[in-house]
Every structure is written in structure tokens, then in C-alpha cells.
Amino acid sequence: MSIDFQIIDHAIARIVINRPQQHNALDVEHDRALADAWQRFNDDPQLKVAILSGQGGRAFCTGADIRDYLPYRRGRAASQEPTSIISFGGLTGAQDVAKPTIAAIEGFCVAGGLELALACDIRIATHASSFGLPEARLGILPGGGGTQRLAKVTGLGVAMRMILTGDTFDAAFALNHGLVTELVSSEALEEAALAIARQLAKNGPLAVVAARRSVLASYGLSVEEGLLQESALQRQLLLTRDAHEGVAAFSERRPAAYTGS
């Protein structure tokens, strides 16, 4: 049992939660190991995009291993500053990962597992997947960003229904309400995620990171504030070598040779 890290095409990180007997729930040890995997992804300039998945086919991730993780978190709650942010698996904090991430979901995607998926930029799933935030049934709330990110994806009413009831919903519901962008067969999931990752990896890396940053920042800003930030990022990009190379490659009808500078 582990957090597996594989590099594909020199630019794509494939991160797999490999605890199938526990439905890929994270205990304290694996929570830290997943955080280390994200740090490795962040720190490697050659890696452009990461795919997160769960081993075994039955679950993407079912959140925290409550026998181990919740007692740990309860102890931390008594000693931590009230303003500190809980980051589950090193992904759900405010700015844990700076590059694009894709969640490839098969099976149960619930509790902290759904919060991990919500923290990813793109989510695809199999038809047999299911989604939910059952924390209210345990007397707690989705504390890994669930109360913050879900409504931004689904709208307020759907988020309230999911969070307050703690119910689990099927893949069709997830697709209809924007939790995932597409549904595929189990056999096609890995290749579908890789196809998206390879497309992202071809694009200008500075542009992808800046565009992602601008989109995420817009959630907490007015339209005017968002436009100001977008414009500032665009001005920075226009002065890079990558921007010149992208335009030149388009004009010359050849693949761009981006250098990230």
C-alpha cells in the first residue's frame, strides 16, 4: 500500500492512491505521502500536469481513514491556530499546487475523496462512479474545502443538498451538475485522462499556469478586479519568449518549441 508516482512522456505525473483494501482512504501516513507527491510534482520543472487516481477500480478515494485520521485531526484541532487551513492530502489548501491537475475518477468519490477531486482543475469519471459529502452524518462538516469549492462548481442549491443531506449521487447527477466534464467507460478512463494531460503539456507552460491562476483568482473577485488581474498576467506573458515562439510557430505552421521562459 502506497502513494505511487509515475512520470509519463517526461512531462506528466501520474499519482495513484494505492490502498484498495481501504477504498483508498487516507490515514495519517498516506495523507503525508500524498502531500509529498504533490510537492515532488510542484518542484520538478519538467512536469507540466498531474493525473490523480485511485487503485483497484472500486474507489477513487473515500476520504480519511476515520480510525486513524480523525483522532489525529481532533488532537490537532485542540492545538492549532483557529486561522490555520486544513489541507487534506496536500492538495485542498489554498495554494498547495501551482500546476494543472486532473482527477481520473472510478468508483466511490466521497468525503475527502470528493474534496481532492474538487481541488483538481479537471475531473472525468466512469459511469459507475458515485459522489457525496457525508460528513454531516458524522457530526462534522467537509473540512477539506468541500463547503468552499462545491457550490462554485454546482451552484448553491445543489451544494446545499449534497452537504446538508450527506447523500450519495450517481455519475449522471455529477455530469448534469458540472462535478465532472465527461463520463467514460472503465477501460477508457486512463487514456482519456492522458489525452487531456498530453494536450495541456503541449501548450505554453507559463501561459497554462498563468491562465489557471487567473481563473482560480476570479472566484473571489469582482468582474472588474478579475479583469485587472487577468490583464496584468497577460502583460507579463506577452513579454516572454514563449509568447513570441507561440505566435511564430502558428505563423510558420509548425509545432511550438516552448522553453518556459
Side-chain angles (χ1 to χ4, degrees):
M1 296 184 293
S2 62
I3 302 297
D4 299 336
F5 193 104
Q6 177 187 10
I7 297 175
I8 301 171
D9 298 345
H10 307 291
I12 300 166
R14 183 172 181 261
I15 300 173
V16 182
I17 304 171
N18 191 352
R19 302 190 80 214
Q21 293 182 340
Q22 290 77 29
H23 288 166
N24 296 320
L26 298 180
D27 58 10
V28 174
E29 177 186 354
H30 290 87
D31 176 76
R32 291 171 177 162
L34 183 55
D36 290 343
W38 290 118
Q39 191 64 54
R40 179 180 173 184
F41 168 61
N42 257 342
D43 291 346
D44 189 333
Q46 299 302 314
L47 297 177
K48 304 298 191 294
V49 56
I51 300 169
L52 177 64
S53 61
Q55 184 68 29
R58 294 186 63 191
F60 169 73
C61 175
T62 54
D65 188 329
I66 60 174
R67 297 164 298 181
D68 170 270
Y69 187 87
L70 288 189
Y72 161 78
R73 183 55 64 189
R74 188 177 293 113
R76 295 275 291 171
S79 60
Q80 280 185 310
E81 291 294 325
T83 55
S84 63
I85 294 174
I86 296 172
S87 178
F88 185 61
L91 183 62
T92 68
Q95 296 183 14
D96 282 335
V97 177
K99 294 181 280 190
T101 54
I102 300 168
I105 301 163
E106 182 171 20
F108 296 112
C109 179
V110 298
L114 179 51
E115 290 176 311
L116 288 172
L118 286 168
C120 291
D121 300 306
I122 298 169
R123 293 170 293 279
I124 62 175
T126 64
H127 296 277
S129 299
S130 56
F131 303 80
L133 292 172
E135 284 84 350
R137 297 185 178 188
L138 302 177
I140 56 177
L141 57 75
T147 66
Q148 302 304 301
R149 292 189 174 98
L150 184 61
K152 293 179 173 67
V153 171
T154 65
L156 184 61
V158 172
M160 286 294 192
R161 180 182 175 191
M162 293 183 69
I163 292 169
L164 301 185
T165 66
D167 287 344
T168 300
F169 299 85
D170 64 16
F173 178 95
L175 181 65
N176 289 339
H177 295 288
L179 270 175
V180 298
T181 57
E182 61 184 290
L183 298 178
V184 298
S185 67
S186 176
E187 296 76 16
L189 179 62
E190 183 174 351
E191 190 53 44
L194 276 173
I196 297 171
R198 285 172 173 141
Q199 182 60 54
L200 293 183
K202 289 180 182 178
N203 294 337
L206 296 179
V208 168
V209 170
R212 176 182 182 273
R213 178 181 168 193
S214 183
V215 171
L216 292 175
S218 71
Y219 278 122
L221 303 175
S222 68
V223 173
E224 182 177 0
E225 290 169 330
L227 288 170
L228 286 171
Q229 171 149 317
E230 179 185 75
S231 297
L233 290 168
Q234 180 72 307
R235 283 193 292 271
Q236 293 173 23
L237 286 173
L238 288 170
L239 300 177
T240 65
R241 290 189 179 93
D242 274 4
H244 288 287
E245 168 61 12
V247 173
F250 178 80
S251 300
E252 296 164 14
R253 299 182 179 180
R254 59 173 174 81
Y258 292 117
T259 60
S261 62

